[in-house]
Amino acid sequence: MTEHRVVFTPSGKRGGFAEGTSLLEAARRLGVDLDSVCGGRGICGRCQVDVAEGAFAKHAVDSRADHASPWSAVEQRYVEKRGSFPSGRRLGCQARICGDLVVDVPPESQVHRQVVRKRAEEHAIEIDPVVRLHMVVVREPDMSDPSSDFRRLQEALAEQWGVADATADLAVLKTLQTTLRAGGWTVTAAVRDGWEIVALFPGFAIDAYGFAVDVGSTTIAAYLCDLASGAVLASVGAMNPQIRFGEDLMSRVSYAMMNPGGKAELTRAVRDAIDALIGEATHQAGVARNQIVEVTLVGNPVMHHLALGLDPTELGSAPFALAIDGACEVKARDLGLDVAPGAVVYALPCIAGHVGADATGVVLAEAPYLGDALRLIADVGTNAEIVFGNRERLLAASSPTGPAFEGAQISCGQRAAPGAIERVRIDRETLEPRFKVIGCDLWSGDPGFADATVGLGVTGVCGSGIIEAIAELFLAGVVTEDGVIDGALAQHTSRVEPVGRAFAYVLNEGPPRLLIHQTDVRAIQLAKAALYAGAKLLIERRGAAPERITLAGAFGAQIDPVYAMALGMIPDCDLEKVASAGNAAGTGARIALLNRAARAEIERVARTIEKVETAIEPSFQSLFVAAMAIPNKTDAFPNLARRIDLPAPKAAPNEGGRRRRRSASIAPA
Amino acid sequence: MTEHRVVFTPSGKRGGFAEGTSLLEAARRLGVDLDSVCGGRGICGRCQVDVAEGAFAKHAVDSRADHASPWSAVEQRYVEKRGSFPSGRRLGCQARICGDLVVDVPPESQVHRQVVRKRAEEHAIEIDPVVRLHMVVVREPDMSDPSSDFRRLQEALAEQWGVADATADLAVLKTLQTTLRAGGWTVTAAVRDGWEIVALFPGFAIDAYGFAVDVGSTTIAAYLCDLASGAVLASVGAMNPQIRFGEDLMSRVSYAMMNPGGKAELTRAVRDAIDALIGEATHQAGVARNQIVEVTLVGNPVMHHLALGLDPTELGSAPFALAIDGACEVKARDLGLDVAPGAVVYALPCIAGHVGADATGVVLAEAPYLGDALRLIADVGTNAEIVFGNRERLLAASSPTGPAFEGAQISCGQRAAPGAIERVRIDRETLEPRFKVIGCDLWSGDPGFADATVGLGVTGVCGSGIIEAIAELFLAGVVTEDGVIDGALAQHTSRVEPVGRAFAYVLNEGPPRLLIHQTDVRAIQLAKAALYAGAKLLIERRGAAPERITLAGAFGAQIDPVYAMALGMIPDCDLEKVASAGNAAGTGARIALLNRAARAEIERVARTIEKVETAIEPSFQSLFVAAMAIPNKTDAFPNLARRIDLPAPKAAPNEGGRRRRRSASIAPA
C-alpha cells in the first residue's frame, strides 16, 4: 500500500499513513491535539486544519491539491451553513491523505487551547474542562440481541471515542431512551472525567457550558462560561438572601443553632439564590439550563458548608472545625440546582475554619505559589481572606471586616450598582465634595451631570465611595486621625452638621440627602483595622514586607490603592505594585471550571498553606487597636508619603482654632 | 528479641512473632481470616480464638497458660458482660504471645464464614458483605493544625484499618460532626467496598444489616439480614400497591404511557411499599432503620425500571428495549428509602426485555451454571421466568402466566396467607372435597378442624390450592381434559351447580361459600399453558430434556410437583427430581447482599444467558395452544404415569352418561 508522510504543526508530530487516511484519523494516531465533537462526520467543524504545503518530498512539485483529497460535498455543505474558510483550510475529518503533507492545526482547533487573561501577571488558563462532548451513533435495539439501550450507548462511546465502561447515574438514565429516539439513534453525550455521562442531547450538540459561583456572605456572583472557548457569556450577581437571617456570618451561625429548621432555611435560601442566578444567566445568554454540565463553587467556610447543606455550628466557636476541607464533588441536583441531570458541583477545598474555598479560589486565580515575589493578596468582602507569601511558603488568615466595605451597615451605603457614588473628592479649602456615580463618566458639578444622571439618580454610596469619602475627609481635615468628625467645622461650612451628640458630613444635598455619619466612619475604621491587622499578622509571621499587594473582591476591584493606603487599609508598598484583581475568588472558580489540572493543583496547594488563626493570636488585638487610626500608627508609609503630603499631626485640643490640614494633597501618580 | 512460633488453624498459616504480640495482630500479619470491629480494643468480641495447644516446640512441656499472656481484666469484663467462654478461649486482641502457640480460629470468628443452606443441592454462601464496620478513635480538632473532622476520620481509618482515602457523600458528611462529638471522638464507620463510608455510628457499634427486596408484579417480599451472620431477622411481604393501576405488567405500562404523571405514581407506589416493608422489618427485629447499610433489589424488568424510576414505556412493545441491563448501584435515599444515609441499593442485572433481575436472582440462588445437570427452573409469579440448561449453556425466557397462580383473577383466590386453602383432595366417588388451610395442620372433616380454624376462618384459595383443586377435579372427572366443568354431574351431586351458562364446583359450602368457576379453570389453563409452552420452547431449543425441575416463587414453594405435572404445568421429569426452591429470586437478592463476589459472578453469568423471546418465536403459539389441555397433548408423561393412573380418554359427547374417571388416583410417592 502507498504510504505518505504527514507532518503536523505546531506540534511537529509526524508519521506515515496509508493513502486515503483522513487527517483527523492521522492526528489521532499521532496524538496531535485536534478537536472533534461529531467524531469525524463533518458536522461540528472543530477539526479545521490548514493544509500549509503541498509536499516536502525532495523533488515534489505537486500542488497541495494533489496531495490531499479534493474539496468534498460535506465540506461544501459545512461552509455554506457556517461561513467561509480561509484558503487552504479543510475539515480534518474530510480531507484525506493522497501524498506527503504539512498540516497546521490552528489554535481554535486545538482541544487544549489557552485563554488569554487580562493582566500581565496572570498566568494563562489552558482550556481542558472536565466535561467533553462526544457525538455517537448508537446501534438500534434488536430482539435477537437483547442488550439494553445503555449498553449499546456504552459500546458506541467505546468504539467511536475510546471511552471505556462509561457510567451514568439514574437521573441521566431516565433521559436515555427518549433522547436516543428523539435523536434517531444519534446522541451527543457530555462525558465527565472520561467515564461518567452527565448529560445526553439528541442528535448533534456542540455547546456545553459551565457555571462558576462565588457565594459571599453579602453578595453572590456567578459566571456562565462556554466550556470550549472559556468565554464568559453572562456575569450575574445578587444579594445573598441569607442576610435576612443575620448580616454577618456569626449571626447566621447563631440563627442556625438557635432555630429549629434554621440550617435548612439558610441552605434553601442560598441554593434558591444560586438557582435563580442560573436562570438569569441562561436567559441572558439564550442557552438552556440543561446545557450547563458542570458547576464550580467557592465561598467562605460558613457559606461553603451552608450551600452544601452541612451544619455550620462548629464554625461558630473554637476550634472552628470544618466538617470537610478537601474538595467536594456533589450532584448539582442534590443542591437543588436545575442544570444537566448528572451535572456535578465541584467545591474548591477549604484551608481552615475561617479560610475557605473563597481563599483557595483567590490563590488559584492569582497563583502566588508559582512566583518568587512576596505577594499580599486580600479578598475583601464581609470577611477579608488574606494570603501572603510566595512559592516557598504561603500563609493565610481571615479577618472579620464586616460588611461595611460592601456598603452594608453604612447609613448611606449600598451595593456597587448604577447610581451608587464610587468616587469622591473634597476640596481642601471649601470642603465642598465632587463625586462620580456608577454608570456616568462625569463628575458632579461638571456641566451636564444632572442631565446625564436623570435615569440613574444618585442612589447611595458603594464601598469604594465610602473609602474615598472618608480618606478625603481625613485629607481635608474633616476627620481626625482618631476618626472623629470635627464638629468645630460646623461653624465654617454647612457641610458639617450636628447629628445627636456627634457630627455628620453632607456628601449630597439631595435628593436623596446622603450623609457620612460618625457611625459610618467608625464602621469603616473597624473594617480597615481588621483587614490591616490581619495582613500585618502574616507579614510579622513571615518576617518580610510585601513586594506586591493585590486587592480582590468586587470592592477591591474598584478601590484606588492610594486611598486604601491613605486610609490605612493596607500596609505600605510601592503604589505601582498595588493592583486590583476583581473577583479573584470567582476567577478561581472559573479556572477550576475550565481546567481539570487546576483542580488537582489547588487541592495540593491548599494543603500546604499555613493557617494563622487571628482569633487566638495574642498580637492580633494590639495590631487591630493600633490600626484603628487613620492612616495607622503602626507604619511609616514611605511609599504613600511620596504620593500624599500627609496632614500634620493633630493639634492638641486646647490649641483651639481651625484644625484643617490644608497641606494634604494627592500628587500625580 | 525473643521470637515465638505461632500456627493458626484451620488455615495452617504460621510465623514467628516477638514476645508480647497480640494474637489478632499476628493473625493480621499472616493474613489469617480473624474478624474484628473494634480494632483490638476488647469491645466487640469478634476475634475470639481457641488457644488449642500450649506448645509445639520439640521438648516443650509448658502449659498453654505460660505461652499466652494471662487472662486479662479486659477479657474478664467482656465475659461478664456477654457471657462465659469455653475453656481455652481468649480474645485475640488481648491474649499476647509469650511462647510457641497453636491458635484455632472458630468459624464464628472468621470474617468469611459460610452460611449453611437448607437444600442439599444449594451451594453454600460465604459471608463477605460489601459493607464492613470499623471502629476508630479520631483525633480531636486543634486550631494549630486546622484539618477538618472528615480528614481526621480519614486518617484514623487509614492508620487503624488500612482504609485509604475513604470518601463519604454529603448525606453522610451531614451526620459527621454530631456523631463524632456524640461518640466522644470514637465512631464506628460502615465502610463500603473498602473506600466509601455509608454510615457513621457514635462510639462502638457491632450490628449492621442489609435488606433484600424482591419486587414482584403482585407481591413484594423482603428480608432483613444480619450482615455478619447472614441470619434473616425478619421476612416481610406485601401486595404490590401498583395493582390499583393495572393487574398485569402491560396494563401498568399502558397506565404509565397514557396518564400524565403516571410513571411517577407507579414509582412512588412501589417505593413507598418497599419503605413500609423496611419499617415493618426493622420494627419486628427491633433494629433502627439507619442500621440498614445496604439494600439489594430483584424484580422483573418493568418492576426493576419502575422501582428505579426509569420509564417502562419501551418494555411495552417490541423490541422491548431495556434502559439498562447491567447491575445498577444507586443511593437508597434517591429511591426514597429511609435507611443509613449513604446506603446503596444494588439492583441485580437484567437479561432482556422480559427476563429481568428476578431471573438473575433465581440463577444466582440456584446456580445452574455451576453444574452438569440440565436444570429447568421456573420462577412462577405473574410472569414465569424460565431458565434451562447447565454450565455449558443457559437459556432463558419469560412467559406471561398472569396473576392466577398468585390467587389473583380467581373468583375465590387470595394471596397465600393464613386462612387460605392450600391443599385440596376430592373424593373420586362422592366428589366431596377435603382441604387444608394455611395455619392449621388438620384437614377439613378431621375432628377438631372447625375449632382449630376459629381464629383463622377459611378466607379463600391460594395459588397452590387452586392448582390442587383443578387437578383433583380433573382426576375426579369433574373437569374434562379440555378444561370444562362437566355440568352433567349436577344431577349427581350438589357440589356441581349451574352458574350462568356454565357450571361451578362448590369447594366450601361456607361461610364463605367458595366456588371454582369455569372462568377460574380457564384462567389456570391459560397460566399453566404459558408456563409449559415457555419451558417447552427452551427444551426444544436446547434439544434435551430436563434432568431436574425446580419451581421457585412463593407459589412454586407450595405446589406439589405431582399436581403441577398432573395439570400439565411442567414437562415430564422424574418426580424425585422436581423440587421447590421457595422465593429463589429473593434468595438471590440475599446472596448478593451477603457476598460481594456473588455480584461479580451474576453480572458475568447474566451476559452469557441466551434469551429466547416467546413473543417472536413462531412455535410458541402452537406450543401454547397444545398446552391448554389437561395434562397436555404434547407429552407422554411417563414419569407422571408411574404415579398417577391417568384418566381414560374423554368419551365422545354423543356417548352421553357419566364421564367420571374413577380409575384416576395418586400412588404413594
Side-chain angles (χ1 to χ4, degrees):
Chain A
M1 198 193 299
T2 318
E3 197 170 76
H4 305 291
R5 280 180 293 161
V6 179
V7 178
F8 284 91
T9 58
S11 65
K13 289 180 177 168
R14 62 187 65 210
F17 296 94
E19 171 126 359
T21 306
S22 78
L23 293 176
L24 176 62
E25 177 60 27
R28 281 191 178 174
R29 283 197 230 153
L30 292 175
V32 169
D33 184 13
L34 179 57
D35 201 3
S36 174
V37 170
C38 72
R41 295 179 176 86
I43 302 170
C44 71
R46 286 277 175 87
C47 64
Q48 294 178 29
V49 291
D50 291 311
V51 181
E53 286 184 21
F56 55 94
K58 265 180 188 161
H59 306 291
V61 288
D62 318 84
S63 80
R64 65 189 166 213
D66 297 318
H67 284 204
S69 59
W71 186 249
S72 73
V74 171
E75 287 168 298
Q76 188 58 33
R77 197 168 59 232
Y78 178 81
V79 170
E80 279 163 13
K81 217 166 156 185
R82 311 273 178 140
S84 65
F85 271 11
S87 164
R89 179 150 295 192
R90 301 292 301 267
L91 289 182
C93 62
Q94 300 302 316
R96 295 179 180 281
I97 297 163
C98 306
D100 295 348
L101 282 170
V102 174
V103 179
D104 185 59
V105 180
E108 64 270 25
S109 296
Q110 294 169 18
V111 180
H112 298 155
R113 53 189 167 281
Q114 292 200 332
V115 172
V116 177
R117 298 183 63 190
K118 287 175 199 161
R119 288 179 297 130
E121 73 270 27
E122 291 174 313
H123 64 303
I125 309 172
E126 190 183 81
I127 302 280
D128 183 18
V130 71
V131 178
R132 301 225 22 219
L133 294 178
H134 297 309
M135 187 182 104
V136 284
V137 177
V138 177
R139 195 156 53 79
E140 292 189 36
D142 174 357
M143 266 199 286
S144 66
D145 169 20
S147 70
S148 64
D149 283 348
F150 185 65
R151 188 173 299 276
R152 280 175 275 105
L153 172 62
Q154 284 178 309
E155 287 169 3
L157 280 166
E159 287 163 13
Q160 296 164 40
W161 290 97
V163 172
D165 299 322
T167 70
D169 74 11
L170 267 186
V172 175
L173 278 177
K174 278 181 192 175
T175 70
L176 170 67
Q177 297 196 300
T178 47
T179 307
L180 279 170
R181 285 155 184 83
W185 302 98
T186 295
V187 291
T188 303
V191 178
R192 186 174 195 277
D193 209 12
W195 58 274
E196 187 187 7
I197 302 165
V198 294
L200 286 167
F201 305 99
F204 170 66
I206 195 153
D207 296 316
Y209 305 99
F211 198 70
V213 187
D214 171 22
V215 187
S217 309
T218 307
T219 57
I220 304 176
Y223 309 91
L224 179 70
C225 302
D226 184 320
L227 288 183
S229 70
V232 176
L233 303 187
S235 177
V236 290
M239 295 300 282
N240 187 332
Q242 290 181 336
I243 284 174
R244 66 175 182 272
F245 304 107
E247 290 243 342
D248 58 73
L249 290 174
M250 286 311 125
S251 54
R252 287 182 220 169
V253 172
S254 300
Y255 184 89
M257 289 167 67
M258 309 302 283
N259 294 278
K263 290 187 282 283
E265 266 183 297
L266 284 161
T267 292
R268 200 177 319 117
V270 67
R271 290 178 176 177
D272 286 352
I274 296 171
D275 196 58
L277 288 177
I278 292 171
E280 191 182 330
T282 49
H283 180 75
Q284 271 186 26
V287 310
R289 277 176 172 264
N290 74 347
Q291 290 180 298
I292 295 179
V293 295
E294 182 87 359
V295 178
T296 54
L297 181 86
V298 297
N300 62 55
V302 173
M303 289 304 112
H304 168 275
H305 276 41
L306 284 172
L308 293 177
L310 298 170
D311 187 344
T313 300
E314 293 301 326
L315 298 172
S317 56
F320 311 108
L322 289 160
I324 184 164
D325 54 13
C328 286
E329 291 191 348
V330 301
K331 289 286 174 178
R333 61 172 188 273
D334 286 343
L335 303 193
L337 306 183
D338 177 12
V339 291
V344 168
V345 176
Y346 173 87
L348 273 72
C350 293
I351 295 168
H354 287 144
V355 184
D358 47 357
T360 53
V362 169
V363 170
L364 182 58
E366 292 297 314
Y369 55 86
L370 292 180
D372 291 319
L374 278 167
R375 295 185 60 187
L376 179 75
I377 306 166
D379 186 23
V380 185
T382 308
N383 281 267
E385 275 75 44
I386 310 164
V387 176
F388 181 57
N390 60 3
R391 74 162 84 236
E392 284 164 26
R393 187 179 173 201
L394 274 182
L395 301 165
S398 174
S399 250
T401 45
F405 288 148
E406 294 176 274
Q409 290 184 344
I410 297 292
S411 56
C412 58
Q414 73 156 81
R415 192 166 72 92
I421 293 175
E422 59 166 350
R423 296 264 168 270
V424 176
R425 296 290 180 272
I426 293 173
D427 188 274
R428 304 291 183 261
E429 285 296 328
T430 64
L431 307 183
E432 284 302 305
R434 292 189 308 140
F435 53 79
K436 277 177 74 173
V437 299
I438 297 175
C440 175
D441 286 336
L442 299 175
W443 284 86
S444 65
D446 285 354
F449 176 78
D451 289 346
T453 55
V454 161
L456 288 168
V458 176
T459 52
V461 188
C462 71
S464 64
I466 289 284
I467 296 296
E468 293 204 0
I470 293 174
E472 282 279 317
L473 286 171
F474 165 70
L475 293 171
V478 178
V479 166
T480 68
E481 67 180 3
D482 290 338
V484 177
I485 297 178
D486 185 353
L489 295 175
Q491 303 164 24
H492 306 278
T493 170
S494 61
R495 287 281 167 183
V496 175
E497 64 177 45
V499 176
R501 294 192 195 169
F503 289 83
Y505 177 81
V506 183
L507 182 60
N508 191 36
E509 293 287 0
R513 201 155 187 268
L514 299 175
L515 274 69
I516 309 291
H517 288 271
Q518 181 61 55
T519 51
D520 298 332
V521 181
R522 287 283 176 250
I524 290 293
Q525 274 183 290
L526 290 167
K528 73 105 185 175
L531 174 57
Y532 187 88
K536 201 70 189 169
L537 193 65
L538 299 188
I539 290 165
E540 288 185 356
R541 178 70 65 95
R542 181 73 200 254
E547 293 160 354
R548 279 173 53 198
I549 294 178
T550 305
L551 291 169
F555 158 75
Q558 297 304 320
I559 194 165
D560 184 326
V562 177
Y563 285 102
M565 210 178 280
L567 199 60
M569 285 176 65
I570 55 173
D572 190 68
C573 181
D574 179 354
L575 278 162
E576 304 304 316
K577 300 287 189 183
V578 181
S580 68
N583 182 0
T587 303
R590 282 200 293 123
I591 293 173
L593 198 57
L594 297 174
N595 182 281
R596 48 204 286 177
R599 298 182 181 192
E601 185 167 293
I602 192 57
E603 288 168 22
R604 180 183 56 74
V605 169
R607 303 310 313 153
T608 68
I609 296 174
E610 295 167 49
K611 171 71 195 309
V612 178
E613 181 54 69
T614 54
I616 56 164
E617 277 297 323
S619 60
F620 183 76
Q621 276 306 316
S622 56
L623 285 168
F624 180 81
V625 170
M628 284 287 285
I630 300 173
N632 279 330
K633 289 177 173 161
T634 46
D635 273 301
F637 291 96
N639 279 294
L640 182 63
R642 276 198 286 278
R643 284 281 295 279
I644 303 184
D645 293 325
L646 285 176
K650 178 186 167 186
N654 58 0
E655 285 181 28
R658 291 195 64 180
R659 286 179 288 182
R660 279 168 54 207
R661 288 144 198 93
R662 294 166 195 252
S663 61
S665 66
I666 294 192
Chain B
M1 199 194 297
T2 319
E3 198 170 76
H4 305 290
R5 280 180 293 160
V6 179
V7 178
F8 285 92
T9 59
S11 66
K13 290 180 176 167
R14 62 186 66 209
F17 295 93
E19 171 126 359
T21 307
S22 78
L23 294 175
L24 176 61
E25 177 59 28
R28 282 192 176 170
R29 284 198 227 151
L30 292 175
V32 169
D33 184 14
L34 179 57
D35 201 2
S36 175
V37 170
C38 71
R41 294 178 178 85
I43 302 170
C44 72
R46 286 277 174 85
C47 64
Q48 293 178 28
V49 292
D50 292 310
V51 181
E53 286 183 25
F56 55 94
K58 263 181 191 163
H59 306 292
V61 289
D62 320 84
S63 81
R64 65 188 167 215
D66 297 317
H67 284 204
S69 59
W71 184 249
S72 72
V74 171
E75 286 168 298
Q76 188 58 32
R77 197 168 58 233
Y78 178 81
V79 169
E80 279 164 14
K81 215 165 158 185
R82 310 274 177 140
S84 65
F85 271 11
S87 165
R89 179 152 295 191
R90 301 292 303 267
L91 290 182
C93 61
Q94 300 302 317
R96 294 177 181 282
I97 298 164
C98 306
D100 295 349
L101 283 169
V102 174
V103 180
D104 186 57
V105 180
E108 64 271 24
S109 296
Q110 294 168 16
V111 181
H112 299 154
R113 53 190 167 281
Q114 291 201 333
V115 172
V116 176
R117 296 184 64 191
K118 287 176 198 160
R119 288 179 297 130
E121 73 270 25
E122 291 174 312
H123 64 303
I125 310 171
E126 189 183 81
I127 303 279
D128 183 19
V130 72
V131 179
R132 299 223 26 217
L133 295 178
H134 297 310
M135 188 182 105
V136 284
V137 177
V138 177
R139 197 157 50 80
E140 293 189 36
D142 174 357
M143 267 199 286
S144 66
D145 169 19
S147 69
S148 65
D149 284 347
F150 185 65
R151 186 172 300 275
R152 280 175 276 105
L153 172 62
Q154 284 179 311
E155 287 169 2
L157 281 166
E159 286 163 14
Q160 296 164 38
W161 290 98
V163 172
D165 299 322
T167 69
D169 73 12
L170 266 187
V172 176
L173 278 178
K174 279 181 192 174
T175 71
L176 170 67
Q177 297 195 300
T178 48
T179 307
L180 279 171
R181 284 154 186 83
W185 303 99
T186 295
V187 292
T188 303
V191 178
R192 186 174 195 277
D193 210 11
W195 59 273
E196 187 187 7
I197 302 165
V198 294
L200 285 168
F201 305 99
F204 170 65
I206 193 150
D207 296 315
Y209 304 99
F211 199 70
V213 187
D214 170 22
V215 188
S217 311
T218 307
T219 58
I220 304 177
Y223 309 91
L224 179 70
C225 300
D226 184 318
L227 288 183
S229 69
V232 176
L233 302 188
S235 176
V236 290
M239 295 300 281
N240 186 333
Q242 291 181 334
I243 284 173
R244 66 174 180 272
F245 305 106
E247 290 243 341
D248 59 72
L249 290 175
M250 286 310 126
S251 53
R252 287 182 220 169
V253 173
S254 301
Y255 184 88
M257 290 167 66
M258 309 303 282
N259 295 277
K263 290 186 283 283
E265 265 184 298
L266 285 161
T267 291
R268 201 177 319 118
V270 69
R271 290 178 177 178
D272 286 352
I274 295 171
D275 195 58
L277 288 176
I278 291 171
E280 191 182 331
T282 50
H283 181 76
Q284 270 185 28
V287 310
R289 278 174 170 266
N290 75 347
Q291 291 181 297
I292 296 179
V293 295
E294 181 86 0
V295 178
T296 54
L297 181 87
V298 297
N300 64 56
V302 173
M303 290 302 111
H304 168 274
H305 275 41
L306 283 172
L308 293 178
L310 300 170
D311 186 344
T313 301
E314 292 301 325
L315 299 171
S317 56
F320 310 109
L322 288 159
I324 183 164
D325 54 13
C328 287
E329 291 190 349
V330 301
K331 289 286 173 178
R333 61 172 188 275
D334 286 344
L335 302 193
L337 306 183
D338 176 13
V339 291
V344 168
V345 176
Y346 172 87
L348 273 72
C350 293
I351 296 167
H354 287 143
V355 184
D358 48 356
T360 53
V362 169
V363 169
L364 181 58
E366 292 297 313
Y369 55 85
L370 293 179
D372 292 317
L374 278 167
R375 296 185 59 186
L376 180 75
I377 306 167
D379 185 22
V380 185
T382 308
N383 281 267
E385 276 75 43
I386 310 163
V387 176
F388 181 57
N390 59 3
R391 73 162 87 237
E392 286 164 22
R393 187 179 173 202
L394 275 181
L395 302 165
S398 174
S399 249
T401 46
F405 287 148
E406 295 177 273
Q409 289 183 345
I410 296 293
S411 56
C412 58
Q414 71 157 83
R415 191 166 72 92
I421 294 174
E422 60 166 348
R423 295 265 168 271
V424 176
R425 295 292 179 272
I426 293 173
D427 188 273
R428 305 291 183 262
E429 284 299 326
T430 65
L431 304 185
E432 284 300 305
R434 290 189 308 139
F435 53 79
K436 278 175 75 173
V437 298
I438 296 174
C440 174
D441 286 337
L442 300 174
W443 285 88
S444 65
D446 285 353
F449 176 79
D451 290 345
T453 55
V454 162
L456 289 170
V458 176
T459 51
V461 187
C462 71
S464 63
I466 290 282
I467 296 297
E468 293 204 1
I470 294 174
E472 281 279 318
L473 286 170
F474 164 69
L475 294 170
V478 178
V479 165
T480 68
E481 66 180 5
D482 290 337
V484 177
I485 296 177
D486 185 353
L489 295 175
Q491 302 162 25
H492 305 278
T493 171
S494 62
R495 289 280 167 183
V496 176
E497 64 177 45
V499 175
R501 292 192 197 170
F503 290 84
Y505 177 81
V506 182
L507 181 60
N508 190 37
E509 292 290 0
R513 201 156 187 266
L514 300 174
L515 274 67
I516 309 290
H517 289 270
Q518 183 60 56
T519 50
D520 300 332
V521 181
R522 285 283 177 251
I524 291 293
Q525 274 183 290
L526 290 167
K528 72 105 185 177
L531 174 57
Y532 187 88
K536 203 68 189 169
L537 194 64
L538 299 188
I539 290 165
E540 289 184 355
R541 177 71 65 96
R542 181 71 200 255
E547 292 161 351
R548 280 172 54 197
I549 295 178
T550 305
L551 290 168
F555 158 76
Q558 297 304 319
I559 195 165
D560 183 327
V562 176
Y563 287 101
M565 209 178 281
L567 199 60
M569 284 177 64
I570 54 175
D572 191 67
C573 181
D574 178 355
L575 278 162
E576 305 303 316
K577 301 286 190 184
V578 181
S580 68
N583 181 0
T587 303
R590 282 200 294 124
I591 294 173
L593 199 56
L594 297 173
N595 182 282
R596 48 204 286 178
R599 298 183 180 190
E601 184 167 293
I602 193 59
E603 288 167 22
R604 180 184 56 74
V605 169
R607 303 310 315 152
T608 68
I609 297 174
E610 296 166 47
K611 170 70 194 308
V612 178
E613 180 55 67
T614 55
I616 55 166
E617 277 296 322
S619 61
F620 183 76
Q621 276 306 316
S622 55
L623 284 168
F624 180 80
V625 170
M628 284 287 283
I630 302 174
N632 280 331
K633 288 178 175 162
T634 45
D635 273 303
F637 291 96
N639 279 294
L640 182 63
R642 275 197 287 280
R643 287 280 295 280
I644 303 184
D645 293 325
L646 286 175
K650 178 187 166 186
N654 56 4
E655 285 181 30
R658 294 195 61 183
R659 286 179 287 183
R660 280 168 55 206
R661 288 143 198 93
R662 292 164 196 254
S663 60
S665 67
I666 295 192

